């Protein structure tokens, strides 16, 4: 109240002085006007309308992560962005003329898969937390490298210590005997984090979800239900790995691999369209079990 009275008082004084000035010499008035304009321009400096005010571009890392965990997570997210960006670039360049595209997404129109990758790279990350404090007490369970907090906090993901000791950087793609067909999706930190990002409702929107899990099931889904394949998190992960390997890591060669029979949980594996698949010894037993909780509360481990 006192504050606003003081303001009005000042305004009245200012008005009074300008009225007084109106009667002075033209010359002087022009000067006064000039001064007034300058003042006006400064005081009502247009507050630039920033349409994306409050946007969060980087994935927020919770204060519970210590310096080394934070550094590794940042590194992992940088990998995730590289995978997603390249997957999108590949789709935008080749569309469905890409064998890789057809392999994972069948006859589905290309915009949806490209859009999901774009959400990973450019989608707003406001409200997300990736935390390291095992707040739900689940990290002690054997093989748990992290989990989406589900009903406890849908925007939050816990990363357990196991992630930091087992995940590989993007430069190690196709190394250590890894191939896409037989390797686990969670050996690559960046690819694992893409999966975790899709669980967050503002990123995956409850649509980029689990429709098929194993490599064989994902290839079959591309044939049986392309519309689901383009929003199946595992298909999006496999595609990103495969095209990054083929286009960037080992150009023109990649490490698609050929699925070994016993790795398939559905019996006969569908033919892999890639003609350049190279057999490589698989050494994935050291990879941790990947567990995650679905929206319906079902815990999936693979
Ligand atoms: C961060 O926490 C992890 C897991 O508790 C631990 O292994 C690591 O040594 C910590 N880093 C630092 C710099 O204290
Ligand atoms: C590829 O996309 C074109 C449209 O750009 C469409 O006409 C064609 O049927 C698609 N082919 C496959 C195999 O999905
Ligand atoms: C929620 O957090 C509690 C610990 O506070 C944990 O026991 C429980 O498993 C969590 N619930 C879910 C669905 O994760
Ligand atoms: C934590 O573990 C318990 C027991 O396995 C499980 O019921 C719960 O859903 C888990 N929480 C999360 C967020 O995965």
């Amino acid at each position: 109240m006192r504050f606003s009275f003081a303001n009005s008082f000042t305004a009245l004084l200012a008005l009074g002085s300008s009225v007084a000035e109106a009667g002075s010499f033209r010359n002087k008035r022009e000067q006064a006007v000039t001064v007034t304009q300058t003042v006006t321009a400064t005081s009502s400096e247009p507050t630039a309308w920033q349409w994306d005010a409050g946007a969060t571009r980087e994935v927020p890392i919770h204060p519970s992560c210590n310096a080394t965990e934070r550094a590794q997570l940042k590194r992992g997210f940088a990998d995730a962005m590289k995978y997603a960006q390249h997957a999108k670039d590949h789709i935008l360049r080749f569309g469905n003329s890409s064998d890789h595209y057809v392999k994972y997404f069948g006859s589905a129109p290309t915009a949806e898969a490209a859009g999901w990758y774009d959400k990973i790279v450019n989608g707003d990350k406001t409200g997300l937390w990736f935390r390291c404090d095992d707040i739900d007490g689940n990290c002690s369970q054997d093989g748990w490298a992290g989990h989406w907090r589900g009903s406890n906090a849908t925007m939050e993901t816990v990363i357990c210590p196991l992630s930091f000791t087992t995940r590989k950087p993007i430069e190690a793609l196709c190394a250590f005997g890894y191939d896409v067909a037989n390797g686990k999706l969670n050996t690559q930190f960046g690819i694992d984090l893409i999966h975790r990002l899709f669980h967050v409702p503002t990123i995956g929107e409850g649509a980029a979800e689990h429709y098929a899990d194993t490599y064989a099931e994902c290839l079959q889904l591309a044939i049986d239900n392309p519309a689901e394949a383009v929003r199946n998190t595992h298909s999006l992960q496999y595609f990103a790995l495969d095209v990054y390997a083929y286009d960037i890591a080992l150009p023109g060669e990649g490490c698609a691999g050929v699925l070994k029979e016993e790795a398939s949980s559905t019996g006969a594996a569908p033919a892999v369209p890639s003609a350049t698949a190279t057999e490589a010894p698989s050494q994935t037993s050291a990879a941790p079990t990947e567990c995650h909780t679905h929206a319906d509360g079902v815990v999936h481990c693979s």
Side-chain angles (χ1 to χ4, degrees):
M1 184 61 203
R2 212 175 93 203
F3 184 73
S4 82
F5 172 76
N7 272 351
S8 323
F9 188 60
T10 313
L12 277 174
L13 276 184
L15 181 64
S17 82
S18 74
V19 166
E21 260 172 25
S24 336
F25 297 111
R26 192 167 179 261
N27 213 10
K28 193 180 170 194
R29 202 183 68 191
E30 269 174 3
Q31 271 178 1
V33 167
T34 309
V35 168
T36 307
Q37 276 178 342
T38 309
V39 168
T40 305
T42 323
S43 61
S44 67
E45 183 93 28
T47 22
W49 170 248
Q50 202 193 332
W51 70 269
D52 64 346
T56 310
R57 291 196 64 82
E58 305 235 316
V59 180
I61 298 172
H62 194 261
S64 61
C65 301
N66 67 23
T68 51
E69 290 164 336
R70 176 174 301 268
Q72 288 176 90
L73 263 179
K74 280 186 116 160
R75 185 51 211 276
F77 283 121
D79 286 0
M81 301 310 150
K82 278 189 196 168
Y83 280 119
Q85 180 68 49
H86 181 68
K88 185 179 78 163
D89 289 348
H90 183 102
I91 292 174
L92 294 177
R93 165 67 182 88
F94 298 111
N96 70 7
S97 70
S98 158
D99 288 345
H100 284 110
Y101 183 86
V102 176
K103 173 179 173 182
Y104 293 100
F105 305 125
S107 61
T110 58
E112 180 162 343
W116 289 124
Y117 293 123
D118 204 16
K119 287 208 71 176
I120 295 288
V121 179
N122 295 309
D124 187 59
K125 313 294 191 314
T126 301
L128 274 71
W129 279 125
F130 273 68
R131 52 196 306 159
C132 305
D133 56 358
D134 189 15
I135 188 167
D136 294 329
N138 277 356
C139 290
S140 55
Q141 298 177 84
D142 202 30
W144 282 58
H147 62 95
W148 175 56
R149 294 195 64 205
S151 54
N152 274 357
T154 57
M155 297 293 281
E156 298 190 6
T157 303
V158 172
I159 299 297
C160 301
L162 190 60
S163 275
F164 299 110
T165 55
T166 53
R167 304 293 194 242
K168 300 265 188 296
I170 196 167
E171 291 80 6
L173 181 61
C174 300
F176 309 107
Y178 170 89
D179 67 49
V180 179
N182 301 288
K184 288 202 168 198
L185 280 176
N186 60 15
T187 51
Q188 289 292 320
F189 209 172
I191 289 292
D192 179 63
L193 290 172
I194 284 178
H195 185 112
R196 299 188 186 284
L197 284 167
F198 279 135
H199 274 301
V200 177
T202 55
I203 306 286
E205 301 181 44
E209 259 285 354
H210 291 271
Y211 301 94
D213 283 335
T214 68
Y215 181 75
E217 286 164 1
C218 287
L219 299 191
Q220 195 60 47
L221 190 66
I223 297 163
D224 297 342
N225 196 337
E228 275 185 359
V230 286
R231 49 175 61 185
N232 181 38
T233 50
H234 284 193
S235 302
L236 291 161
Q237 290 174 274
Y238 277 124
F239 175 82
L241 281 166
D242 221 349
V243 293
Y244 195 93
Y246 190 85
D247 295 340
I248 311 283
L250 301 177
E253 187 184 339
C255 54
V258 173
L259 186 63
K260 297 187 177 86
E261 278 302 318
E262 69 274 14
S264 165
S265 64
T266 54
V272 180
S274 170
T276 55
T278 44
E279 187 85 36
S282 172
Q283 185 220 308
T284 52
S285 52
T289 313
E290 196 261 336
C291 295
H292 50 258
T293 314
H294 288 217
D296 59 7
V298 176
V299 179
H300 253 217
C301 293
S302 54

